[in-house]
Amino acid sequence: MTDTASVEPTSALPALPPLEEPVETSWWSRHHRAVVVAVGRIAVLVAGLACWEYASGRWIEAMLVSRPSAIGAQFVTWLGDGTLLLHARITITEVILGFLLGAVAGIVAAFALAPMRIVQRIVDPYIYALYSLPKVALAPLFIVWFGIGISMKVLLAGITVFFLVFLNALAGIRQVDPALVDAVRLMGCSRVQLVQKVIFPGSVSGLLTGLKVAIPYALIGAVIGELVASNRGIGYLVTDSASRFNIAGVFASLIVLTLLAWVLNAIVSVLDARASRWRDAES
Amino acid sequence: MATRPTAHGGPIRRMTRIRYYRIVVTVSTKSSSTDHAVAAPAPAADSAGRPPDGIRIEGVARSFVKDGRRRYAIRDLDLDIESGSFVVVLGRSGCGKSTLLNMIAGLSRPDHGRISYRGEEIAGPRTDLGYLTQHDTLMPWRTLRRNIELPLELRGVPAAQRRRRATELIARVRLDDFEEHYPRELSGGMRRRAGLARMLCAEPEALLMDEPFGALDAQLRQELQADLLRLWHGSGKTVVFVTHDLDEALCLGDRVVVLGRGGRLVLDEPVRLPRPRDLDRVRLEPAFVASHQRLTAALRSDAS
């Protein structure tokens, strides 16, 4: 080895081959999994409906299980005469109001209580006792207090949502790394800024988990309220159809509830995807 | 000044707890009222008549109570850090280095004694002191650029100005192509550089650094040490740099203070090496070797 090589060893090294190169991928190689999943889902649905249609009236009493074609016909009829719209609107209003009420109250309560560890420990057993209480059991009480109008269903949905959102948001706030809190305190942040820049973004995943878990419970709350006492709403449509042995009507109403839950889930999923973009980042 | 803080001059405050408003329920620990520790030394007066400059640590003690026992991380420490100097605090792990830095940063308060900056007692975090901690504290949900802008954002600096300053700092720490990356997508060394840039973005007068390069490989550590010296040289900023790495201490500092157990001051060694320093060659200087030997001896003497 020469003198110059010992001073500048890099000059002796061979040139580096490129460490990155383009890779050609076809549309199919990128998307074949998604296609298989979508086709599979449709196949399962079609097969299930076909079995149902075939079995109904042959193996099982059609009076009890109805059949997809009859349900579809009932759905179209109700859609046409406005029955579905009338009742769905009531239920959607209840679910959304209840969800918002519970979620906002839960978030506010979690952020208010989070810094007070002692208060938290004092109220902890009561919170869990109320959380474990089946909210359905409160329906009769709410009827006495608020009547059988919409407010009773909103509150029934709201109270269920409240506990789920509150407990998940609180857990999310507790997960915030204290080192990050110290870091912004060192930058001289105000209390509002601390919440805004660290506590909230740090706890947002717990919060969204709470919202996600709460969606079906908002529906349950509203529908149970309608089942117990009402003359409108999808829950009422279910009981009303069942009492007339209109099984196709029962299933048509259930489809509406399913669609409603699906839309609400999709909304929260979009929020979640936006809020946790940084989490998916992989090097 | 006149009142002498008592041994239980305050319950042990965990300052890291998430608190964002002022309703604070403090419950004093039972044990602290029973054992009156040794009387606190009176804070040394300004007898030397030096101007109130730099960081001044006078008779500082800090203890932690656990399982009914009080353990002192720092018992009685006096230290003056001149403004504009690069002082390295060297010591083995558990000698109270980080505790000391946390107190200077204002994250925790001494049990007794007094820490002041420019003659003013440090009562809480202050923006003219920058603190780079041992672990990364970049916000994982912010991109690199938005992380570096954060100190300015908190001060209400307009967006355009923030952006200009962040871009400039990103260039200075050589992260130009990573502005829009999230911390997770950066390597350990890059995250350290980002932390450094964020600290400098706030334009602090003094920098506190707690083993900032401890978790990096030797090659990268030297690279970042060179970066730090380059950024610091001629800036006139005071630096308090905590490390357990003897070589690092001598490469960087104007002065190395060796802390022993309980935060005892074992040795105060001036480093007589020219600046700017070439980190590849500085280790070969006779002054480096001589200081190295004295520091090794000091570290060893405390262990026995």
Side-chain angles (χ1 to χ4, degrees), chain A residues 89-107:
Chain A
R89 218 166 52 196
I90 301 279
T91 305
I92 290 171
T93 312
E94 289 163 3
V95 169
I96 289 179
L97 283 182
F99 188 75
L100 287 180
L101 184 77
V104 169
I107 292 168

Side-chain angles (χ1 to χ4, degrees), chain A residues 111-112 182 185 191 193 197, chain B residues 15-16 20-21 153-154:
Chain A
F111 275 89
D182 274 350
R185 286 184 54 217
R191 280 152 210 277
Q193 283 175 328
K197 306 290 181 193
Chain B
M15 310 286 274
T16 49
Y20 41 82
Y21 51 80
E153 205 178 307
L154 295 174

